[in-house]
Amino acid sequence: SNPFEVKVNRQKFDILGRKTKNDVGLPGVSRSKAIKKRTQTLLKEYKEREKTNVFKDKRFGEYDTKITPEEKMMRRFTLERQQMYGKKSIYNLNEDEELTHYGQSLAEIEKLNDIVDSDSDTEERGALSAELTAAHFGGGGGLLRKKESSGQQDEEEKPKSRKELIEEMIAKSKQEKQLRQTQRESALELTEKLDKDWKEIQTLIAHKTPKSERKDKEVEKPKPDEYDIIVRELGFEMKAKPSQRMKTEEELAKEEQARLQKLEADRLRRMRGLDQEVTKRKPSHVSADDLADGFILDQDDRRLLSYKDGKLNIENEEKEEEEEEEEEEDGGKEDDENDEESEEESANEDEEDVAADSHSDLESDLESEEEAEGNKEQNKHKTKKNEAQNVEELNPEMEAAKSELPYTFTVPESYETFKSLLAGRTVEQQLIILERIQKCNHPSLAVGNKAKLEKLFGFLLEYVGELAALDVPELRTIDKLVQPLYNLCQMFPEAASASVKFILGDAAHDLQGALEAKGHAAFPGLEMLIYLKIISLLFPTSDFWHPVVTPAFIYMSQLLTKCRITTLQDVVKGLFVCSLFLEYVSLSRRFVPELLNFLLGVLHISLPKKQAQGYTVVHPFTPVGKNLELLLVSDKKDLESWEKPNLPLSIVTGLKETNPTTVNHIRLSCLALCYDLIKKCAALYESLPSFHEIMHPIRILLTQHVPVNEYPEKMQERHHSALKELESKEKHYTPLICEKKKPVPLKQFTPKIVKVLEFGRSQGGSRKEQESKLLIRKHRRELKGAIREIRKDNQFLARLQLSEIMERDNARKRKVKELLGSLATQEGEWKAMKRKKRKN
């Protein structure tokens, strides 16, 4: 009827022949129907949620036909007894436990039944009996009362008099006293008897040997068990104590800087000779009885009084002050403390003179002036003598302090100052200087220290290259300097990588320029090889790409392929680069073809010209040319006298001796090193599938061309071990298999019929697919409807609970108002009564 409660469901298209059910919807009507339905079903369940109106028969075995009636009765009887003897209260959790104290139960102790153990003749712990209390504190009336008994006495018996009761009480107390005495005597007799019996038994149990016999017989003590030893050790072990917190890097740097500054100040004091003077001036020990009357002031500023024409002579005082200032300026060139001592001595002598000539102010002015001048000259001579003696004594200690290294250094700003700082120092001193430079100029101590230390890395790297470029390279010094290089690289990785990349870029530029100008290039000097070695120590070489290591890789590969080999030094340099390559790829196992080609070429130049056939040689080695037999040794005496010495790296700079025997030994050492590198390559690349193909030329050369029998035994052993390492590796080939594919069917010419469905309906293939889709769609629709109904049920229950809460709150408010109203009326009536009383 209400047009606002009518919802019209419009359709987009009018289709002929389709009957529509829900053209017009009534949401108000449907909502009222849903609410009515929920009040009949959900509300009823909500109100009866805590009510049980079902009777259950819980008798044991009532509906079990397998149990006989006798068994049922026995089982029910036992269950009943168990319930009777069970816990009486569900809250008494400690009913089965009995708490004790020193072996006595707490329940008995709480009854306060104390045991009388007093040996005195007085009453039991001051407790009075019932008769005594009745006689003395009963007031007289209690004496005539009948004494209640257990029912054995007759009720008709006459009550006892007061006298009879007192006599009976006295007799009872005497009886109790006699009984206690007899018990005490019997206890004493029993203890004496037990003592005697124990002495007799004790002699039988343990017979102690006398001391004289014990000394003769050494009784072996049983060794303590390991467990007991560990327990004792744990007992005496120190318990953990709280340690100091870990200090930050900045705090450690500040402490180290303060320590070095203190040491440097001590060294400077010793160098100037001030340390001994300070110790000399230390006060001697003063006893407690000393009156301290012989002290002398450090300075005495008092002046001699002199008069001229009846007035004070102020000019003399001014002259004296000027002279003193001049003396101080002259002495300022020397040490400060020496001047203080000389002033003290002069002041002491002045005091003596003043004490001797206490009446000098009464004499003439001329005499006082002459005496003052004489005293000054004497003081000057004495101070000069003392200074000369002090200098002679302090000279050796001052020289020792001067020879010590300073404890604080500033970072050098140029390479020349850095080089002069390390010049003439031993390796240990150089390391100490570098360490102290880093500690005194830590980046956390000042703002500009970081840039200074970054420069220091470049200076140190340049210094290492300079040491390597000497005629006699200082390799041990370079080895020790790697540690400070590593520390600086860890502190400033970006600056270190930049300086190393700069060196690599220069070297690569020089190599490229030589190749463009001449067409060939020579191996670099020893300093560049050492730089390559240092790179492997400072930076990670196993990364796939690294801003420093990757350019070093490329540079080393260019050295092995572009640099010609004309001398024995070139061979040593190339083998050194090969060993560096193996060190670089030891973790990543990266394949380096230049390495294997160079080793093949080294074996090639150790063969005579006639046998160099059957394999290919790669540049820089050539099958025909001048330097083919560079490592060939034909002298049998040199072959026999060779012993495998390690190749010193100093050979790179040049051979000192031109003795042919030593040259032949170096050639054999190069060949032995080549065999060792081949073994390492075989162990490194054994996992490659193409390992045998890669090593095939080297294996052919070792088996067919190398004259093994002419070499010494140690060289033959190396040859056989390298060959065995190459041939022992198994082939890891996986056969090629075509990928499995589904066979493609032949094309057929039968037409494919496709069923055209109506618009809007889901397209489906077979009937099963359509049915499954229909079921999925129905399930989805039902799920949505169920979720919607559950949501509406929850809303209905929430409204119901809210209305209940509102009703309870309203009822409570109403009752509170009623109570307040009744209290107000009572208070009004009470005040009215009070007012009436006041009026009356």
Side-chain angles (χ1 to χ4, degrees):
S1 62
N2 190 355
F4 295 102
E5 291 184 357
V6 177
K7 184 184 177 184
V8 179
N9 296 323
R10 292 182 61 191
Q11 290 185 351
K12 289 184 179 180
F13 306 103
D14 292 331
I15 300 168
L16 296 173
R18 177 181 289 179
K19 294 179 181 179
T20 56
K21 299 178 181 178
N22 301 317
D23 290 340
V24 178
L26 301 172
V29 176
S30 61
R31 192 182 299 112
S32 64
K33 285 181 181 178
I35 291 169
K36 188 177 180 181
K37 188 177 180 182
R38 285 189 178 88
T39 50
Q40 291 175 358
T41 56
L42 192 61
L43 183 61
K44 200 173 183 181
E45 290 178 6
Y46 179 73
K47 286 180 178 179
E48 295 177 357
R49 65 187 183 281
E50 293 177 356
K51 294 181 181 179
T52 54
N53 54 1
V54 178
F55 294 97
K56 290 183 180 179
D57 193 355
K58 292 186 178 180
R59 289 179 294 175
F60 178 79
E62 184 64 26
Y63 301 104
D64 196 352
T65 56
K66 296 179 181 179
I67 303 173
T68 59
E70 291 81 7
E71 289 179 357
K72 288 181 185 179
M73 296 301 294
M74 287 294 293
R75 183 62 178 159
R76 289 177 184 176
F77 181 72
T78 53
L79 288 172
E80 190 176 355
R81 284 298 178 91
Q82 286 177 1
Q83 289 176 0
M84 285 174 65
Y85 288 107
K87 285 187 177 181
K88 295 177 182 178
S89 176
I90 61 171
Y91 301 106
N92 191 3
L93 301 177
N94 296 322
E95 188 180 343
D96 298 335
E97 298 177 1
E98 185 177 3
L99 301 175
T100 58
H101 179 69
Y102 287 105
Q104 297 178 347
S105 72
L106 292 176
E108 292 180 0
I109 292 171
E110 287 174 357
K111 291 178 183 178
L112 302 175
N113 295 330
D114 295 334
I115 299 168
V116 178
D117 55 353
S118 175
D119 294 335
S120 62
D121 295 335
T122 58
E123 288 298 324
E124 302 172 359
R125 292 197 177 188
L128 302 177
S129 61
E131 292 85 358
L132 186 65
T133 53
H136 291 279
F137 305 104
L143 297 172
L144 302 174
R145 293 175 186 172
K146 296 179 182 179
K147 188 178 179 182
E148 294 181 359
S149 61
S150 60
Q152 295 179 358
Q153 297 179 356
D154 298 332
E155 293 179 0
E156 297 177 357
E157 190 178 358
K158 292 181 180 179
K160 293 180 181 181
S161 64
R162 179 184 177 89
K163 189 177 181 180
E164 288 175 353
L165 286 171
I166 290 170
E167 287 176 355
E168 188 178 347
M169 184 183 67
I170 292 166
K172 196 172 182 182
S173 63
K174 286 181 179 178
Q175 186 179 358
E176 289 177 356
K177 184 178 179 182
Q178 190 176 3
L179 182 64
R180 283 199 302 273
Q181 186 71 23
T182 54
Q183 286 177 356
R184 195 182 305 115
E185 289 175 357
S186 63
L188 287 170
E189 289 176 1
L190 282 171
T191 51
E192 289 175 359
K193 186 180 179 183
L194 284 171
D195 290 339
K196 289 178 182 177
D197 294 342
W198 170 246
K199 287 178 182 177
E200 292 175 358
I201 295 166
Q202 193 176 12
T203 55
L204 298 173
I205 291 171
H207 177 66
K208 290 185 178 180
T209 56
K211 292 182 179 179
S212 60
E213 293 180 6
R214 286 182 196 168
K215 292 177 181 177
D216 298 335
K217 296 180 182 180
E218 292 182 356
V219 182
E220 293 182 359
K221 293 182 179 180
K223 293 182 178 180
D225 192 9
E226 291 181 0
Y227 177 77
D228 298 335
I229 294 168
I230 294 168
V231 169
R232 287 178 184 175
E233 287 177 357
L234 289 172
F236 289 108
E237 191 176 347
M238 286 287 289
K239 293 183 179 179
K241 293 181 180 179
S243 60
Q244 294 181 354
R245 67 175 183 84
M246 293 288 288
K247 294 181 179 178
T248 60
E249 190 177 353
E250 295 179 359
E251 291 174 349
L252 291 172
K254 286 180 182 177
E255 287 182 2
E256 190 67 21
Q257 188 191 29
R259 186 181 71 83
L260 292 174
Q261 286 176 355
K262 185 180 178 183
L263 291 171
E264 178 64 13
D266 294 341
R267 187 188 72 84
L268 291 172
R269 196 180 298 112
R270 281 185 276 109
M271 190 176 74
R272 292 170 185 167
L274 306 180
D275 201 11
Q276 274 197 352
E277 294 175 6
V278 171
T279 54
K280 282 181 182 178
R281 291 178 59 193
K282 282 184 180 177
S284 59
H285 177 70
V286 180
S287 65
D289 299 331
D290 192 4
L291 297 175
D293 55 353
F295 73 94
I296 297 169
L297 293 171
D298 292 339
Q299 289 182 353
D300 192 3
D301 297 333
R302 293 180 294 176
R303 309 285 183 187
L304 291 173
L305 290 173
S306 60
Y307 295 89
K308 189 175 183 180
D309 298 333
K311 295 181 181 179
L312 281 172
N313 193 0
I314 302 171
E315 294 177 359
N316 293 334
E317 292 180 2
E318 291 176 355
K319 289 178 182 178
E320 286 177 2
E321 288 176 358
E322 289 175 0
E323 288 175 358
E324 285 178 0
E325 286 176 1
E326 288 175 359
E327 286 177 1
E328 286 176 0
E329 287 175 359
D330 295 335
K333 298 176 182 177
E334 300 175 357
D335 300 318
D336 298 334
E337 293 191 7
N338 292 337
D339 294 339
E340 288 175 4
E341 287 185 1
S342 62
E343 285 173 7
E344 285 175 5
E345 289 174 359
S346 62
N348 296 336
E349 290 174 0
D350 291 340
E351 284 179 359
E352 290 173 2
D353 296 336
V354 170
D357 305 327
S358 58
H359 300 286
S360 62
D361 56 341
L362 302 176
E363 296 176 1
S364 63
D365 299 336
L366 296 171
E367 290 177 358
S368 63
E369 287 176 3
E370 288 174 0
E371 286 177 1
E373 288 176 1
N375 290 335
K376 285 178 183 177
E377 289 177 358
Q378 288 178 3
N379 292 339
K380 286 180 182 178
H381 288 300
K382 286 181 180 180
T383 52
K384 286 179 181 178
K385 287 179 182 178
N386 292 333
E387 286 174 3
Q389 288 177 0
N390 291 335
V391 169
E392 288 176 0
E393 290 175 358
L394 297 175
N395 268 338
E397 292 189 3
M398 289 168 66
E399 289 175 0
K402 284 179 183 177
S403 63
E404 286 183 12
L405 282 175
Y407 289 94
T408 57
F409 292 92
T410 57
V411 182
E413 295 186 359
S414 64
Y415 178 68
E416 286 74 17
T417 55
F418 176 76
K419 189 177 176 183
S420 63
L421 192 63
L422 300 181
R425 306 283 188 183
T426 60
V427 182
E428 289 77 13
Q429 288 178 341
Q430 290 180 11
L431 292 174
I432 291 168
I433 289 169
L434 291 170
E435 183 183 358
R436 287 176 182 174
I437 287 173
Q438 291 180 40
K439 288 180 178 178
C440 294
N441 301 277
H442 197 269
S444 61
L445 299 175
V447 178
N449 286 349
K450 183 179 178 183
K452 292 178 182 178
L453 289 177
E454 287 175 356
K455 286 183 183 179
L456 181 66
F457 181 84
F459 296 158
L460 189 56
L461 206 62
E462 190 175 351
Y463 182 67
V464 167
E466 192 171 331
L467 291 177
L470 296 173
D471 295 335
V472 181
E474 298 180 8
L475 297 177
R476 291 184 179 177
T477 308
I478 293 170
D479 186 26
K480 297 289 184 182
L481 291 175
V482 170
Q483 183 64 35
L485 269 175
Y486 180 78
N487 293 335
L488 288 170
C489 181
Q490 293 297 314
M491 290 174 71
F492 314 108
E494 294 180 359
S497 62
S499 56
V500 174
K501 279 196 290 184
F502 181 75
I503 291 171
L504 283 173
D506 283 350
H509 183 71
D510 294 342
L511 181 68
Q512 192 67 28
L515 288 172
E516 290 176 357
K518 300 178 183 178
H520 60 85
F523 274 95
L526 180 60
E527 65 275 9
M528 197 61 216
L529 299 180
I530 286 173
Y531 282 145
L532 293 172
K533 174 68 178 175
I534 289 171
I535 287 170
S536 67
L537 299 174
L538 298 184
F539 302 102
T541 56
S542 60
D543 294 354
F544 182 75
W545 184 87
H546 193 272
V548 179
V549 178
T550 305
F553 255 106
I554 296 167
Y555 180 68
M556 286 194 295
S557 62
Q558 286 180 349
L559 290 180
L560 292 181
T561 52
K562 301 290 178 66
C563 296
R564 290 175 62 182
I565 292 173
T566 56
T567 59
L568 200 57
Q569 287 84 0
D570 294 339
V571 177
V572 175
K573 290 178 182 179
L575 290 173
F576 182 75
V577 174
C578 290
S579 62
L580 282 179
F581 256 129
L582 285 173
E583 188 177 345
Y584 274 53
V585 299
S586 59
L587 291 174
S588 61
R589 296 178 177 271
R590 191 175 296 172
F591 177 61
V592 184
E594 294 87 356
L595 169 63
L596 297 173
N597 290 331
F598 192 85
L599 294 177
L600 180 67
V602 171
L603 291 176
H604 168 67
I605 61 175
S606 67
L607 302 176
K609 291 182 181 180
K610 295 179 181 179
Q611 295 182 1
Q613 295 173 359
Y615 56 88
T616 56
V617 182
V618 185
H619 192 271
F621 300 96
T622 55
V624 180
K626 295 180 182 179
N627 303 314
L628 282 182
E629 298 178 352
L630 193 60
L631 295 181
L632 181 64
V633 180
S634 57
D635 194 350
K636 292 183 179 180
K637 292 181 180 180
D638 296 342
L639 288 170
E640 291 174 358
S641 63
W642 176 77
E643 292 181 358
K644 206 277 176 179
N646 291 326
L647 274 173
L649 203 57
S650 57
I651 298 173
V652 172
T653 56
L655 290 172
K656 295 180 182 179
E657 299 177 359
T658 56
N659 189 5
T661 304
T662 56
V663 173
N664 287 335
H665 286 175
I666 290 170
R667 287 171 178 167
L668 291 171
S669 299
C670 291
L671 196 58
L673 181 59
C674 181
Y675 284 134
D676 292 340
L677 293 174
I678 288 169
K679 282 175 63 178
K680 290 180 181 179
C681 288
L684 189 67
Y685 297 134
E686 63 178 349
S687 60
L688 292 176
S690 59
F691 172 75
H692 290 277
E693 284 72 19
I694 292 167
M695 296 293 180
H696 181 67
I698 297 174
R699 188 168 62 251
I700 287 175
L701 196 145
L702 291 175
T703 52
Q704 298 178 8
H705 300 287
V706 175
V708 187
N709 299 324
E710 297 177 3
Y711 291 148
E713 291 183 0
K714 291 183 179 178
M715 187 69 74
Q716 289 180 11
E717 289 176 2
R718 279 182 166 73
H719 176 273
H720 293 315
S721 62
L723 190 60
K724 186 180 178 181
E725 195 76 22
L726 292 175
E727 292 178 347
S728 63
K729 308 301 179 187
E730 296 180 358
K731 292 185 177 182
H732 302 285
Y733 293 139
T734 54
L736 294 174
I737 299 171
C738 295
E739 294 182 1
K740 291 182 179 179
K741 291 182 179 179
K742 195 174 182 181
V744 180
L746 296 171
K747 289 185 178 181
Q748 296 180 352
F749 294 100
T750 55
K752 185 179 180 181
I753 299 168
V754 180
K755 186 179 180 182
V756 179
L757 301 173
E758 294 181 10
F759 178 78
R761 293 192 179 183
S762 61
Q763 302 287 336
S766 61
R767 187 175 179 181
K768 288 183 179 180
E769 290 179 0
Q770 290 180 356
E771 288 177 356
S772 66
K773 287 182 180 179
L774 183 64
L775 286 173
I776 289 167
R777 193 162 54 253
K778 284 183 178 179
H779 173 264
R780 194 182 296 119
R781 191 186 301 121
E782 292 295 329
L783 181 65
K784 286 181 180 178
I787 291 168
R788 187 167 55 252
E789 291 298 322
I790 290 167
R791 194 183 294 116
K792 288 180 180 180
D793 291 345
N794 290 332
Q795 291 173 359
F796 177 76
L797 290 173
R799 285 196 300 271
L800 192 66
Q801 289 170 359
L802 182 63
S803 63
E804 289 178 357
I805 291 166
M806 296 281 284
E807 287 177 1
R808 286 199 299 270
D809 291 346
N810 292 330
R812 184 175 58 80
K813 287 177 183 177
R814 188 179 65 254
K815 289 177 181 178
V816 167
K817 283 182 180 179
E818 290 176 358
L819 288 170
L820 291 173
S822 64
L823 288 171
T825 53
Q826 286 178 8
E827 191 173 0
E829 291 174 357
W830 179 71
K831 286 181 179 178
M833 289 172 64
K834 209 171 181 181
R835 284 194 294 271
K836 284 181 181 179
K837 285 179 181 179
R838 285 176 185 173
K839 288 178 181 180
N840 295 330

